[in-house]
Amino acid sequence: MSVAQLRNPATEARALQLGTLCNVIGALAALVFYLRSGSDALLLDGLYTAVMAGASVIAGRVSLAALQPRSRAYPFGASGQEPLYVLFRTLVLLGIIAFAMVSAAGKVLTHLQGGPVAAVRLDGLGLYFSAMVLLNLWLWQVFVRSWSHSGRNNDMLRGMAISARFDALISAGTGLTLLGVPLLLGTPLAPLMPIADSLLVLVLCAALLGEPIAILKGAVAEAAGSSRSLGQDTQITCANAIVPVLKQQGCELLELAMIRLGRTVTAVAYVEPENAMTAGQVDDLRLAVEQQLVKALQTPVLCEVIPTAVHPYAEAAH
């Protein structure tokens, strides 16, 4: 499979446009029902959806840039913009979660100190939550299909799919909890009814934290150019895949250095040839190694082959 076949900009752009439209609708609906009900959980849901809407717009721009060929401005391509975008989006989400937690904790403290807490109006929320769950589940399927068609190498689409699925779970959990609050009447938990909404926000925030923190770690590793942007098992698999190609040309693999930037993997194979090689032979070897890596990774690869007699990390070892 060639690099060109792994890229499907039309499908990707269509999915991101649908994501923008659906998330704008969801964010507006959440704002309307928040103003009507006064539920902080709805405000959190709306802010999360609004970030997804803005993220879809930015992702479309980043995706177009990432698909451009190498140039003097971006000698290794513009795929490095993808982890920066993911990093920005994740930091915004963490900021929203932190704001929601502080706001909810403040209402809980106000209630414990005997202060008034506005009641949440529940009428009409059943329809809203049902619509949001169905919308996000459909959007999740749209992103999953687009991610599959793109060669399963686009972390932006994968992240949007995860967010849509998680948003559906948030809407379902929030709806069931808020609509079930009246059932607390006459039970030992009845005193919690005034702050049930705030407690729900704290639970949702705790549940939301795991995903952005995990994504943040991966985006930082990619943006920093760390080898941890690719799993060690993947690197070993790639090294084993190119060894037969190198042996056919009488070369021994000294080191395969690899990093991931967005959907593109940059690889440098340091090889020790048994005999002298012409520039043309090195070019042919580079092309063969690149094709083998694309086949193994199913993602675009930028590859270089450097003939050398010294291990690239030999100086670092001393």
Side-chain angles (χ1 to χ4, degrees):
M1 182 179 291
S2 67
V3 173
Q5 289 174 313
L6 290 168
R7 297 174 174 176
N8 196 337
T11 302
E12 186 175 320
R14 186 162 54 249
L16 292 172
Q17 289 169 359
L18 285 172
T20 301
L21 177 62
C22 292
N23 282 313
V24 166
I25 293 172
L28 290 175
L31 176 61
V32 170
F33 278 90
Y34 161 70
L35 294 175
R36 181 181 177 184
S37 66
S39 169
D40 285 345
L42 272 180
L43 178 60
L44 174 60
D45 192 18
L47 289 174
Y48 187 89
T49 307
V51 170
M52 292 303 102
S56 296
V57 175
I58 299 173
R61 302 284 184 177
V62 172
S63 176
L64 289 175
L67 292 174
Q68 298 304 309
R70 288 187 279 184
S71 63
R72 290 187 181 277
Y74 294 98
F76 295 99
S79 290
Q81 294 183 20
E82 293 185 70
L84 290 178
Y85 152 78
V86 173
L87 189 62
F88 166 77
R89 168 178 164 269
T90 306
L91 289 174
V92 171
L93 282 177
L94 288 173
I96 289 174
I97 292 171
F99 167 77
M101 291 183 73
V102 171
S103 177
K107 286 192 175 184
V108 172
L109 288 175
T110 297
H111 176 71
L112 293 177
Q113 292 171 357
V117 176
V120 175
R121 294 179 57 188
L122 301 179
D123 52 306
L125 291 187
L127 178 62
Y128 164 80
F129 285 118
S130 299
M132 289 301 101
V133 169
L134 292 175
L135 182 65
N136 282 296
L137 287 176
W138 176 75
L139 196 56
W140 168 50
Q141 287 299 310
V142 169
F143 283 127
V144 168
R145 284 197 298 268
S146 181
W147 176 66
S148 298
H149 292 160
S150 70
R152 297 176 178 265
N153 58 69
N154 190 329
D155 284 344
M156 290 195 304
L157 288 176
R158 180 175 173 271
M160 298 298 281
I162 292 173
S163 295
R165 182 182 61 185
F166 209 77
D167 208 0
L169 293 175
I170 290 174
S171 296
T174 303
L176 290 173
T177 303
L178 285 180
L179 296 176
V181 165
L183 299 177
L184 297 179
L185 281 172
T187 71
L189 297 177
L192 297 179
M193 287 183 62
I195 55 171
D197 181 61
S198 298
L199 293 175
L200 175 60
V201 170
L202 292 174
V203 172
L204 287 175
C205 288
L208 281 169
L209 274 176
E211 180 209 350
I213 288 176
I215 293 176
L216 181 66
K217 290 180 180 178
V220 169
E222 288 190 29
S226 170
S227 61
R228 292 184 179 180
S229 57
L230 279 167
Q232 188 173 5
D233 291 343
T234 300
Q235 296 185 48
I236 293 174
T237 298
C238 290
N240 292 337
I242 67 172
V243 165
V245 176
L246 296 176
K247 285 186 176 180
Q248 290 177 2
Q249 302 298 323
C251 295
E252 178 185 353
L253 178 64
L254 297 181
E255 183 69 35
L256 179 62
M258 303 176 68
I259 60 170
R260 177 187 290 276
L261 281 175
R263 75 197 70 185
T264 302
V265 172
T266 299
V268 179
Y270 297 90
V271 302
E272 183 176 4
E274 294 178 357
N275 302 303
M277 299 180 68
T278 65
Q281 289 175 324
V282 173
D283 287 341
D284 291 340
L285 181 59
R286 179 190 60 78
L287 182 59
V289 169
E290 182 175 292
Q291 291 175 343
Q292 196 67 21
L293 289 175
V294 169
K295 188 183 298 184
L297 293 169
Q298 295 294 295
T299 194
V301 176
L302 297 177
C303 179
E304 295 296 339
V305 172
I306 299 180
T308 179
V310 181
H311 193 283
Y313 309 141
E315 294 183 2
H318 291 297

